[in-house]
Amino acid sequence: MKKFINDIDSLLEDSLKGFAKAHADIVELNLQPHFIKRVKTGKPNKVALISGGGSGHEPLHSGFVGFGMLDAACPGQIFTSPTPDQMLAAAEAVDQDGGVLFIVKNYAGDVMNFEIAAEMLEIPNATVLVNDDVSLPKTHSIGRRGVAGTLIVEKMVGAAAEAGADLAACKALGDRINQSTASIGVALTSCTVPALGKPTFELGDQEMEMGVGIHGEHGRETMPLENASAIVEHLARAIDEELKPQPGQAVLLHVNGFGATPLIELHLIYHLAAEYWEKRGVVIARSLVGNFTTSLDMAGCSLTLTRLDEELIRLWDAPVNTAALRWGA
């Protein structure tokens, strides 16, 4: 393992300190317990959006704290859920008397700890559970995982909250976006968790892992490595079967890198995926390509598709100013 590390135990805090210094105009860091919050608070009575999860997925979630998205993010240790005391402290720090909306990826630890925090919090609150990963069936025992679609929810609901939508409206909107979004990923390599010091699973030179999550876990199937067109066909078909976008339907197409795949390859994947749906009459109205929901140093990518309407397009286009996503502000 070759990584830029002084001490594994202090890696998260040292990284958070660097992140906060690099983006001091947008965010500030609370050390005990750890959370990142906006420097410039929203208007009075604005719904406060809080998300979080294990580290190793950067820029998710801390990179999306700022105007038009999250009010705070709670980072856990690498691939480990944050604790309820982080969520409680973050909520109390960013509450603007409009209530708190937790945006939670569907992983057991995240769900449990956010539920505990929600029950303890003496502020009106609600939760949006993101479960956009269609590599698992709806009937899976743990449910579908929350992956790159989380960004889509955070951006659109963040815009609505910034514009003054109340807690119930933000909750309903988040659920609607989640139901209109589907994702699936493929890995060409595993990732190396620093505390483990070796890849979490092995892949041969001519193998790929289809349907991976974002925690270095195995996917649903190990397959022979194919060319980019065939890989996109696998990914896009799974999403198409889930969302069933009709000709004329406007969509947002997001190609997300897992951390070690260069943009030249991600843009190739975008080109092929866009062609897949354009041939079927689907309108690629908005796009996003890059490393946004990563898995440390994993090579691979995911596709995310969101069915759009005029409201969702307006919310996506609304100004945003965060460390990792910014336009119009």
Side-chain angles (χ1 to χ4, degrees):
M1 180 180 73
K2 290 182 179 179
K3 292 185 180 291
F4 294 112
I5 292 176
N6 286 328
D7 182 84
I8 289 173
D9 292 334
S10 66
L11 172 60
L12 173 59
E13 185 165 302
D14 291 345
S15 177
L16 289 172
K17 288 177 179 177
F19 174 78
K21 287 180 181 178
H23 303 286
D25 58 324
I26 299 173
V27 301
E28 62 183 64
L29 169 65
N30 188 85
L31 284 174
Q32 294 299 328
H34 292 136
F35 64 85
I36 295 284
K37 74 180 187 74
R38 287 168 62 162
V39 169
K40 298 177 181 177
T41 58
K43 298 175 183 177
N45 299 313
K46 176 192 173 297
V47 174
L49 268 59
I50 299 176
S51 193
S55 297
H57 308 307
E58 291 77 14
L60 193 80
H61 296 274
S62 296
F64 303 135
V65 173
F67 177 84
M69 286 192 77
L70 298 177
D71 293 270
C74 303
Q77 293 292 329
I78 291 176
F79 296 170
T80 303
S81 173
T83 56
D85 66 310
Q86 291 175 257
M87 301 153 195
L88 288 168
E92 290 164 358
V94 300
D95 175 44
Q96 296 289 306
D97 297 323
V100 171
L101 183 67
F102 294 117
I103 299 176
V104 184
K105 301 188 304 301
N106 189 30
Y107 287 92
D110 288 2
V111 171
M112 179 181 68
N113 287 346
F114 272 100
E115 282 182 352
I116 293 171
E119 291 171 2
M120 296 175 65
L121 186 62
E122 296 181 356
I123 297 170
N125 66 85
T127 296
V128 172
L129 186 66
V130 183
N131 55 357
D132 56 307
D133 184 3
V134 298
S135 68
L136 299 175
K138 288 182 177 179
T139 56
H140 194 276
S141 59
I142 61 171
R144 287 174 163 172
R145 300 170 291 206
V147 286
T150 311
L151 177 161
I152 313 299
V153 174
E154 292 175 353
K155 169 62 185 80
M156 292 179 177
V157 179
E162 209 72 61
D166 64 17
L167 181 59
C170 287
K171 154 71 173 167
L173 174 66
D175 288 340
R176 180 163 76 88
I177 297 163
N178 177 59
Q179 292 161 7
S180 299
T181 300
S183 303
I184 185 169
V186 60
L188 306 182
T189 70
S190 180
C191 63
T192 301
V193 178
L196 184 63
K198 61 181 181 180
T200 54
F201 64 85
E202 296 291 339
L203 275 179
D205 290 344
Q206 296 302 313
E207 292 180 327
M208 62 183 181
E209 195 74 6
M210 183 62 61
V212 291
I214 55 173
H215 293 96
E217 68 269 56
H218 274 287
R220 69 182 185 186
E221 183 181 6
T222 301
M223 300 175 62
L225 181 63
E226 299 180 83
N227 66 23
S229 294
I231 291 171
V232 168
E233 183 80 18
H234 286 296
L235 299 174
R237 188 167 61 244
I239 290 173
D240 204 62
E241 290 172 356
E242 176 71 21
L243 291 183
K244 297 180 173 59
Q246 299 301 304
Q249 171 69 60
V251 298
L252 174 122
L253 175 57
H254 173 32
V255 175
N256 171 65
F258 287 148
T261 299
L263 281 170
I264 190 171
E265 295 175 35
L266 296 181
H267 282 111
L268 166 63
I269 296 296
Y270 177 85
H271 168 64
L272 296 170
E275 278 194 336
Y276 177 94
W277 276 294
E278 286 168 348
K279 287 177 181 177
R280 289 157 175 79
V282 176
V283 179
I284 310 297
R286 297 294 184 272
S287 60
L288 184 68
V289 180
N291 292 287
F292 292 99
T293 304
T294 61
S295 184
L296 291 172
D297 56 349
M298 179 182 282
C301 70
S302 60
L303 293 187
T304 297
L305 201 74
T306 300
R307 293 192 305 257
L308 298 174
D309 56 27
E310 290 185 3
E311 179 190 15
L312 297 188
I313 291 173
R314 175 176 54 80
L315 292 170
W316 181 258
D317 289 346
V320 60
N321 185 30
T322 69
L325 210 65
R326 61 178 70 181
W327 55 72

